[in-house]
Amino acid sequence: MVFDAKGRAGVLTVTPKAIGHGYSTTYRVPRDLYKAHKVVAVTIGLAQPTPAAAIAKRYGRPDEIGAVARGTKRYRYWILVRRDERPDSLHAVDFEVDSGAQESRSYILSTDGADFVAERLTGLLREWERDYVLD
């Protein structure tokens, strides 16, 4: 397993003001470097290759298929969690499939802390706001 992390991750605290309205917010980055990092992706190597057909049978057709490198394709699955119709969190699962052998030896799980996933979640939130919030 390989973990990808972003630094300067902290804790956001929102406290109601004593006057009865409004909030006070603080963002504190821990001094401990381990606590000041946030894991945004995990790459998992598989003990045995998984055939592309088995991936498609288990998870359905990929949402996207793209080229990673010569002879390797990326099967991407998007996992969206909604809360009352509002997009709440998004993850990408990428299987790297060898085009010749048609099997995957690893996959990558990316959270919305990864830039490309965050951009996609922002787009989904804008669509939701357009469809459900804005008049």
Side-chain angles (χ1 to χ4, degrees), residues 9-128:
V11 177
L12 178 68
T13 305
V14 180
T15 309
K17 289 186 177 180
I19 59 175
H21 64 281
Y23 296 90
S24 175
T25 60
T26 59
Y27 186 76
R28 189 181 71 74
V29 177
R31 296 184 86 138
D32 182 344
L33 289 178
Y34 288 109
K35 292 179 182 177
H37 282 76
K38 175 182 177 182
V39 174
V40 297
V42 179
T43 302
I44 296 100
L46 300 171
Q48 294 186 346
T50 302
I55 294 169
K57 183 177 180 182
R58 183 168 189 171
Y59 302 111
R61 296 191 61 184
D63 296 315
E64 298 173 8
I65 298 177
V68 175
R70 188 175 189 156
T72 306
K73 291 184 179 179
R74 178 192 66 230
Y75 286 18
R76 177 167 289 162
Y77 294 87
W78 290 103
I79 301 169
L80 174 64
V81 175
R82 293 181 185 267
R83 185 175 301 179
D84 298 325
E85 298 299 321
R86 182 184 184 274
D88 190 50
S89 67
L90 183 66
H91 293 79
V93 180
D94 295 335
F95 290 90
E96 293 183 355
V97 177
D98 182 304
S99 296
Q102 288 295 304
E103 59 188 20
S104 176
R105 295 187 180 277
S106 66
Y107 65 95
I108 303 167
L109 174 61
S110 302
T111 69
D112 53 19
D115 293 339
F116 76 97
V117 180
E119 289 173 13
R120 175 92 176 219
L121 180 58
T122 299
L124 292 170
L125 284 166
R126 283 189 184 129
E127 288 178 19
W128 175 81

